[in-house]
Structure formats: structure tokens, C-alpha cells
Amino acid sequence: EKSEALKGAAFAFDKTEIYYSYDENNIAVNGFPIDVFGIKQDFQFPTVYGAQRKVQNRATDLEQRSYEIETKRVIRDLTKAYYDYQIKRQKEIIYGQLDSLYKDFDRAAQRRFELGETNYLEKVTATAKQRQIIIRKNKAIEEVKQAHNTLRQILQIGDTVVILEEPEKKMILENPSLEEMPELAFYRDRALLLKAETRLERQRLLPDIGLAYFQGSNSTLNDNLTGYQIGLKIPVLFGGQASRIKASTIEKEAFAAQSREYESLINTKLKLLQANFVQNKNALRYYDEEGKVLSEEILKTASKSFRSGEIDFFQYIQSIENAYEIMLNYLDSLNAYNQTIIEINYLTL
């Protein structure tokens, strides 16, 4: 909005000079000095205003690109934080389930030890496992709080935000076009702005125009004497302006090199992200096709075997940990998969 408002500044003129002069050498036809009142205005060469207008238009386009880039960054950060929250929330739930399970184990092992049905090692192992899960659960709870705070900071709202839980939600890859990226458009618009600024500096070598109108009189004259003046301000000493033109040209050439470098870096980053996407997709496929099924089967079989006495306490604990480890690894893979897609969909450096 500020840049749009400044478009009118392209046609800014110097302040109008209103003056009074009295000079005893300036004698009227009646032989008396005259009092002179006049108005004077200086203008730049007309084409300079057109050049300034083009510069301001290019500057407005550049600001629009900057706005689009910032909007994209905010949406990217919000999307990353939202999906990260979902994963951390699911991990918190899993650790809550494990905590409840190990509490039961701990109480059962304590009771069995008191009755002499098990040894001391089983008792202390159950207690140690339960304490470890409490630590992991508390860490998971804290990570959820941090993820929630990150979302609130991006949204700039209070503590009342409620986040919809969408477990195991997957991002959709959009494969954005590099040519349509606002960052590359920013570089193109910046190049056009520098070109317009160089042209403006050259236009300023043209002469300025001065116009003046005045009237003179004295107490014995029956009428006013009028006059006008038209003049040109020619840049005879133009070394400073020539330096500005040279500097503008150098800046334009330097920026062209920066633009090529940015395009190269963004292409390299995209290729790396695409390679990571393939890896994450393959890892996620394993969990979708085999891992989740194996996890459920391990839990079901371990519980059945432990109740029937086919496996001991330690084997049961190991089986439970393996099953839940698969679930946690799946969530980590899902998070890496989603975060990679978000980086591609909102590609930037």
C-alpha cells in the first residue's frame, strides 16, 4: 500500500518560489525604482517524470513480489508446524498407552514378587521400564506444548486455539513450477527496476526548465510593468551524475549474476528435496504395507502367548517394545515425508 501511494511522487515538483525584489538600479520609465513581485517554478525535463513513473511502477511490482514471498513463507511455516504438531500429538498418545501398560506391569511384578511367584530381577526391571516410559512420556508432552506454542506464535492468537487432530494425515505433492515462483519473479522485477533506474539517471542529464512571471510598479506609475523569464539549467559539470550512472550499471550487472546464482541454488535444492522425497516415500510404503500389520500382529500374539505362559515376562516386554517402536518409527517417517513435501510445495531458499 505504501508503494502504491508513492506512485504519485513520480510527478513531484520543486516548491514554487514567490518573491519580492527592490533594486535601485531597476528604474522605471518615470525615473523611479520599481517594486517587483514575481512567481517562479522549476521543472525537470518532461521525459524525466515519465522515467520516474516507470521506476515507481517497478518498485511497486517488487513490493508485491516481496509480499507474495512473505505470505508463502508464513503459510509454509504454519503448514510445517501443523503437521509436526499432529505427529507429536500421536507420539504423546502412544507413550501414554505405554505408560499405562508399564504401570500395570510394575504393579503386577510387585505383587508377584511379594507372593514369591517371581524373582527380584523381574520386579526391578518392570519398575525401571516404567520409570523410563514416564521420562519419555513427559518429554512427548513437552514437545506437544512447544509445537502448540509454535502454531500460536505463527497465528498470533491466544491460548484458546483448538487444533483439529488428523492422525496419519499425508501431504499431497504439488510439484510447483519454478517459473511461477514469486522468488524468481522477484529477481526478474528487480532487474527491471534496476534497468529503469539506470534509464532515469541518464534522463537526469537533460536540462531542467525554469519559468518565471513578475510585475513591477512604483507609487507614481499608473500601471504595472510585466515580464517573464524562461531558462534552461544545463548540466555542464556532470561528473557526479556520470558516476551515478556508472554505479547503477555496475549494480545491474552484479544483480544479474546474483539472479543466476539464486536460480542455480534453487534448482539444486529442489533436486535434493526430490531425492529425499523418494527415500521417505519408500520408507513410508514399508510401514503402510508391512510395518503396521506386523506391529499389530506382534501385540496380539505377544499378549496371547504371555497369558498362556508360552513366553516369559522379559520376552513379553521385548515384544511390546518392538511393536511400539515400529509405530513410533512410522510416525517419524510420516513426519519426514510430510515435511519434505511442504518444503517442495513452498520451495524457497
Side-chain angles (χ1 to χ4, degrees), residues 233-271:
K233 293 182 178 180
I234 301 173
V236 177
L237 306 175
F238 54 84
Q241 188 61 26
S243 296
R244 282 190 285 271
I245 293 171
K246 182 178 180 181
S248 180
T249 302
I250 293 172
E251 183 182 9
K252 185 170 64 173
E253 294 171 354
F255 186 78
Q258 293 174 7
S259 179
R260 290 192 296 270
E261 180 188 26
Y262 185 90
E263 191 166 354
S264 175
L265 290 173
I266 204 71
N267 273 287
T268 300
K269 182 176 181 179
L270 178 60
K271 290 178 182 178

Short mmCIF file of all heavy atoms in Angstrom, two decimals, residues 233-271:
data_model
loop_
_atom_site.label_atom_id
_atom_site.label_comp_id
_atom_site.label_asym_id
_atom_site.label_seq_id
_atom_site.Cartn_x
_atom_site.Cartn_y
_atom_site.Cartn_z
N LYS A 233 18.46 24.83 -17.28
CA LYS A 233 19.58 24.50 -16.40
C LYS A 233 20.34 23.35 -17.06
O LYS A 233 19.89 22.20 -17.06
CB LYS A 233 19.08 24.09 -15.02
CG LYS A 233 18.42 25.23 -14.25
CD LYS A 233 18.00 24.75 -12.86
CE LYS A 233 17.38 25.88 -12.07
NZ LYS A 233 16.97 25.43 -10.71
N ILE A 234 21.46 23.67 -17.62
CA ILE A 234 22.23 22.68 -18.38
C ILE A 234 23.33 22.09 -17.50
O ILE A 234 24.10 22.83 -16.88
CB ILE A 234 22.85 23.33 -19.64
CG1 ILE A 234 21.72 23.90 -20.52
CG2 ILE A 234 23.68 22.33 -20.42
CD1 ILE A 234 22.23 24.71 -21.70
N PRO A 235 23.40 20.75 -17.42
CA PRO A 235 24.43 20.11 -16.59
C PRO A 235 25.81 20.17 -17.23
O PRO A 235 26.26 19.23 -17.88
CB PRO A 235 23.92 18.67 -16.47
CG PRO A 235 23.15 18.44 -17.72
CD PRO A 235 22.51 19.75 -18.06
N VAL A 236 26.48 21.29 -17.06
CA VAL A 236 27.83 21.44 -17.61
C VAL A 236 28.82 20.60 -16.80
O VAL A 236 29.69 19.92 -17.35
CB VAL A 236 28.24 22.93 -17.61
CG1 VAL A 236 29.67 23.07 -18.12
CG2 VAL A 236 27.27 23.74 -18.46
N LEU A 237 28.69 20.64 -15.48
CA LEU A 237 29.55 19.86 -14.60
C LEU A 237 28.78 18.60 -14.19
O LEU A 237 28.07 18.59 -13.18
CB LEU A 237 29.96 20.69 -13.38
CG LEU A 237 30.62 22.04 -13.70
CD1 LEU A 237 30.86 22.83 -12.41
CD2 LEU A 237 31.93 21.83 -14.46
N PHE A 238 28.89 17.56 -15.01
CA PHE A 238 28.05 16.37 -14.80
C PHE A 238 28.84 15.15 -14.32
O PHE A 238 28.41 14.01 -14.48
CB PHE A 238 27.31 16.01 -16.09
CG PHE A 238 28.21 15.85 -17.29
CD1 PHE A 238 28.86 14.65 -17.53
CD2 PHE A 238 28.40 16.90 -18.17
CE1 PHE A 238 29.69 14.51 -18.63
CE2 PHE A 238 29.23 16.76 -19.27
CZ PHE A 238 29.87 15.56 -19.51
N GLY A 239 30.02 15.39 -13.72
CA GLY A 239 30.83 14.27 -13.25
C GLY A 239 30.13 13.43 -12.20
O GLY A 239 30.19 12.19 -12.21
N GLY A 240 29.42 14.09 -11.27
CA GLY A 240 28.70 13.35 -10.23
C GLY A 240 27.60 12.48 -10.80
O GLY A 240 27.43 11.32 -10.41
N GLN A 241 26.85 13.03 -11.76
CA GLN A 241 25.78 12.26 -12.37
C GLN A 241 26.33 11.10 -13.20
O GLN A 241 25.76 10.01 -13.23
CB GLN A 241 24.92 13.17 -13.26
CG GLN A 241 23.65 12.52 -13.80
CD GLN A 241 22.72 12.09 -12.69
OE1 GLN A 241 22.73 12.65 -11.60
NE2 GLN A 241 21.93 11.07 -12.95
N ALA A 242 27.45 11.33 -13.88
CA ALA A 242 28.09 10.25 -14.64
C ALA A 242 28.51 9.11 -13.72
O ALA A 242 28.41 7.93 -14.08
CB ALA A 242 29.29 10.79 -15.40
N SER A 243 28.96 9.44 -12.51
CA SER A 243 29.34 8.41 -11.53
C SER A 243 28.12 7.61 -11.09
O SER A 243 28.19 6.38 -10.92
CB SER A 243 30.01 9.06 -10.32
OG SER A 243 31.22 9.67 -10.69
N ARG A 244 26.99 8.30 -10.91
CA ARG A 244 25.77 7.59 -10.53
C ARG A 244 25.30 6.65 -11.63
O ARG A 244 24.81 5.55 -11.37
CB ARG A 244 24.68 8.60 -10.15
CG ARG A 244 24.85 9.19 -8.76
CD ARG A 244 23.63 10.00 -8.34
NE ARG A 244 23.59 11.28 -9.02
CZ ARG A 244 24.16 12.39 -8.55
NH1 ARG A 244 24.83 12.35 -7.41
NH2 ARG A 244 24.08 13.52 -9.20
N ILE A 245 25.44 7.09 -12.86
CA ILE A 245 25.06 6.22 -13.99
C ILE A 245 25.95 4.98 -14.04
O ILE A 245 25.49 3.85 -14.23
CB ILE A 245 25.16 7.01 -15.31
CG1 ILE A 245 24.10 8.11 -15.36
CG2 ILE A 245 25.00 6.07 -16.51
CD1 ILE A 245 24.26 9.06 -16.53
N LYS A 246 27.24 5.18 -13.83
CA LYS A 246 28.18 4.06 -13.84
C LYS A 246 27.87 3.09 -12.70
O LYS A 246 27.87 1.86 -12.89
CB LYS A 246 29.61 4.59 -13.72
CG LYS A 246 30.66 3.49 -13.77
CD LYS A 246 32.07 4.08 -13.69
CE LYS A 246 33.11 2.96 -13.73
NZ LYS A 246 34.50 3.51 -13.63
N ALA A 247 27.60 3.63 -11.52
CA ALA A 247 27.29 2.78 -10.36
C ALA A 247 26.02 1.99 -10.60
O ALA A 247 25.92 0.81 -10.24
CB ALA A 247 27.16 3.64 -9.11
N SER A 248 25.02 2.63 -11.19
CA SER A 248 23.76 1.95 -11.49
C SER A 248 23.96 0.81 -12.48
O SER A 248 23.38 -0.26 -12.34
CB SER A 248 22.75 2.96 -12.04
OG SER A 248 21.54 2.34 -12.34
N THR A 249 24.81 1.04 -13.48
CA THR A 249 25.10 -0.01 -14.46
C THR A 249 25.82 -1.19 -13.81
O THR A 249 25.50 -2.36 -14.08
CB THR A 249 25.97 0.57 -15.59
OG1 THR A 249 25.29 1.67 -16.20
CG2 THR A 249 26.25 -0.50 -16.65
N ILE A 250 26.78 -0.90 -12.93
CA ILE A 250 27.51 -1.97 -12.23
C ILE A 250 26.56 -2.77 -11.34
O ILE A 250 26.62 -4.01 -11.28
CB ILE A 250 28.66 -1.37 -11.39
CG1 ILE A 250 29.72 -0.78 -12.32
CG2 ILE A 250 29.27 -2.43 -10.48
CD1 ILE A 250 30.80 -0.01 -11.57
N GLU A 251 25.67 -2.08 -10.65
CA GLU A 251 24.70 -2.76 -9.79
C GLU A 251 23.81 -3.69 -10.60
O GLU A 251 23.50 -4.80 -10.18
CB GLU A 251 23.84 -1.74 -9.03
CG GLU A 251 22.86 -2.37 -8.06
CD GLU A 251 21.98 -1.36 -7.36
OE1 GLU A 251 22.02 -0.18 -7.76
OE2 GLU A 251 21.27 -1.73 -6.42
N LYS A 252 23.42 -3.23 -11.78
CA LYS A 252 22.57 -4.06 -12.64
C LYS A 252 23.30 -5.34 -13.07
O LYS A 252 22.73 -6.44 -13.08
CB LYS A 252 22.15 -3.24 -13.87
CG LYS A 252 21.17 -3.97 -14.79
CD LYS A 252 20.62 -3.02 -15.84
CE LYS A 252 21.72 -2.51 -16.76
NZ LYS A 252 21.20 -1.72 -17.89
N GLU A 253 24.58 -5.21 -13.41
CA GLU A 253 25.36 -6.38 -13.82
C GLU A 253 25.59 -7.34 -12.65
O GLU A 253 25.53 -8.56 -12.81
CB GLU A 253 26.71 -5.92 -14.39
CG GLU A 253 26.58 -5.13 -15.70
CD GLU A 253 27.90 -4.51 -16.12
OE1 GLU A 253 28.87 -4.58 -15.33
OE2 GLU A 253 27.95 -3.94 -17.24
N ALA A 254 25.85 -6.78 -11.47
CA ALA A 254 26.05 -7.61 -10.28
C ALA A 254 24.79 -8.38 -9.92
O ALA A 254 24.82 -9.56 -9.57
CB ALA A 254 26.49 -6.75 -9.09
N PHE A 255 23.66 -7.70 -10.04
CA PHE A 255 22.40 -8.35 -9.71
C PHE A 255 22.07 -9.47 -10.69
O PHE A 255 21.48 -10.48 -10.31
CB PHE A 255 21.26 -7.32 -9.69
CG PHE A 255 19.97 -7.90 -9.20
CD1 PHE A 255 19.75 -8.08 -7.84
CD2 PHE A 255 18.97 -8.28 -10.09
CE1 PHE A 255 18.57 -8.63 -7.38
CE2 PHE A 255 17.80 -8.82 -9.64
CZ PHE A 255 17.58 -8.99 -8.28
N ALA A 256 22.44 -9.29 -11.95
CA ALA A 256 22.22 -10.35 -12.94
C ALA A 256 22.98 -11.61 -12.53
O ALA A 256 22.47 -12.74 -12.66
CB ALA A 256 22.66 -9.88 -14.31
N ALA A 257 24.20 -11.44 -12.00
CA ALA A 257 24.98 -12.59 -11.53
C ALA A 257 24.31 -13.23 -10.31
O ALA A 257 24.24 -14.46 -10.19
CB ALA A 257 26.40 -12.16 -11.19
N GLN A 258 23.80 -12.41 -9.39
CA GLN A 258 23.09 -12.93 -8.22
C GLN A 258 21.85 -13.72 -8.63
O GLN A 258 21.52 -14.74 -8.04
CB GLN A 258 22.71 -11.78 -7.30
CG GLN A 258 23.89 -11.07 -6.65
CD GLN A 258 23.46 -9.86 -5.86
OE1 GLN A 258 22.26 -9.61 -5.69
NE2 GLN A 258 24.42 -9.08 -5.40
N SER A 259 21.16 -13.22 -9.63
CA SER A 259 19.95 -13.89 -10.11
C SER A 259 20.28 -15.27 -10.67
O SER A 259 19.57 -16.25 -10.39
CB SER A 259 19.27 -13.03 -11.18
OG SER A 259 18.13 -13.67 -11.68
N ARG A 260 21.35 -15.36 -11.44
CA ARG A 260 21.75 -16.67 -11.98
C ARG A 260 22.15 -17.62 -10.85
O ARG A 260 21.83 -18.81 -10.89
CB ARG A 260 22.91 -16.48 -12.96
CG ARG A 260 22.52 -15.78 -14.26
CD ARG A 260 23.62 -15.87 -15.30
NE ARG A 260 24.84 -15.17 -14.87
CZ ARG A 260 25.08 -13.89 -15.11
NH1 ARG A 260 24.20 -13.15 -15.76
NH2 ARG A 260 26.22 -13.33 -14.70
N GLU A 261 22.83 -17.07 -9.86
CA GLU A 261 23.25 -17.92 -8.73
C GLU A 261 22.02 -18.43 -7.97
O GLU A 261 21.96 -19.60 -7.59
CB GLU A 261 24.15 -17.12 -7.78
CG GLU A 261 24.62 -17.95 -6.59
CD GLU A 261 25.34 -17.12 -5.55
OE1 GLU A 261 25.07 -15.91 -5.48
OE2 GLU A 261 26.15 -17.69 -4.82
N TYR A 262 21.06 -17.56 -7.73
CA TYR A 262 19.85 -17.97 -7.00
C TYR A 262 19.12 -19.08 -7.75
O TYR A 262 18.70 -20.08 -7.14
CB TYR A 262 18.92 -16.78 -6.81
CG TYR A 262 17.71 -17.11 -5.95
CD1 TYR A 262 17.76 -16.94 -4.58
CD2 TYR A 262 16.54 -17.59 -6.53
CE1 TYR A 262 16.66 -17.26 -3.78
CE2 TYR A 262 15.45 -17.92 -5.75
CZ TYR A 262 15.52 -17.74 -4.38
OH TYR A 262 14.43 -18.07 -3.59
N GLU A 263 18.99 -18.91 -9.05
CA GLU A 263 18.28 -19.93 -9.84
C GLU A 263 19.02 -21.27 -9.79
O GLU A 263 18.40 -22.33 -9.71
CB GLU A 263 18.14 -19.45 -11.29
CG GLU A 263 17.21 -20.30 -12.12
CD GLU A 263 16.83 -19.63 -13.42
OE1 GLU A 263 17.20 -18.46 -13.62
OE2 GLU A 263 16.15 -20.28 -14.23
N SER A 264 20.35 -21.21 -9.79
CA SER A 264 21.13 -22.44 -9.70
C SER A 264 20.94 -23.10 -8.34
O SER A 264 20.75 -24.32 -8.24
CB SER A 264 22.61 -22.13 -9.93
OG SER A 264 23.41 -23.27 -9.73
N LEU A 265 20.97 -22.31 -7.27
CA LEU A 265 20.82 -22.84 -5.92
C LEU A 265 19.43 -23.44 -5.70
O LEU A 265 19.29 -24.49 -5.07
CB LEU A 265 21.08 -21.74 -4.89
CG LEU A 265 22.52 -21.25 -4.76
CD1 LEU A 265 22.60 -20.05 -3.83
CD2 LEU A 265 23.43 -22.37 -4.26
N ILE A 266 18.40 -22.77 -6.23
CA ILE A 266 17.04 -23.27 -6.02
C ILE A 266 16.83 -24.56 -6.79
O ILE A 266 16.12 -25.47 -6.34
CB ILE A 266 16.00 -22.19 -6.42
CG1 ILE A 266 14.68 -22.43 -5.69
CG2 ILE A 266 15.75 -22.15 -7.91
CD1 ILE A 266 14.74 -22.14 -4.22
N ASN A 267 17.44 -24.70 -7.97
CA ASN A 267 17.35 -25.95 -8.72
C ASN A 267 18.06 -27.08 -7.98
O ASN A 267 17.56 -28.21 -7.94
CB ASN A 267 17.97 -25.77 -10.11
CG ASN A 267 16.97 -25.24 -11.12
OD1 ASN A 267 16.07 -25.95 -11.57
ND2 ASN A 267 17.11 -23.97 -11.47
N THR A 268 19.22 -26.78 -7.40
CA THR A 268 19.96 -27.79 -6.64
C THR A 268 19.16 -28.24 -5.43
O THR A 268 19.06 -29.45 -5.14
CB THR A 268 21.32 -27.23 -6.19
OG1 THR A 268 22.08 -26.85 -7.33
CG2 THR A 268 22.08 -28.26 -5.39
N LYS A 269 18.57 -27.28 -4.72
CA LYS A 269 17.78 -27.63 -3.53
C LYS A 269 16.57 -28.48 -3.93
O LYS A 269 16.23 -29.45 -3.22
CB LYS A 269 17.31 -26.36 -2.82
CG LYS A 269 16.52 -26.66 -1.55
CD LYS A 269 16.14 -25.40 -0.80
CE LYS A 269 15.37 -25.76 0.47
NZ LYS A 269 15.00 -24.55 1.27
N LEU A 270 15.92 -28.15 -5.03
CA LEU A 270 14.76 -28.91 -5.47
C LEU A 270 15.15 -30.36 -5.77
O LEU A 270 14.43 -31.30 -5.40
CB LEU A 270 14.13 -28.26 -6.70
CG LEU A 270 12.93 -29.00 -7.31
CD1 LEU A 270 11.80 -29.12 -6.27
CD2 LEU A 270 12.43 -28.28 -8.55
N LYS A 271 16.28 -30.56 -6.42
CA LYS A 271 16.73 -31.93 -6.73
C LYS A 271 17.01 -32.72 -5.46
O LYS A 271 16.67 -33.91 -5.37
CB LYS A 271 17.97 -31.87 -7.62
CG LYS A 271 17.69 -31.38 -9.04
CD LYS A 271 18.97 -31.29 -9.86
CE LYS A 271 18.67 -30.76 -11.27
NZ LYS A 271 19.91 -30.60 -12.07
#
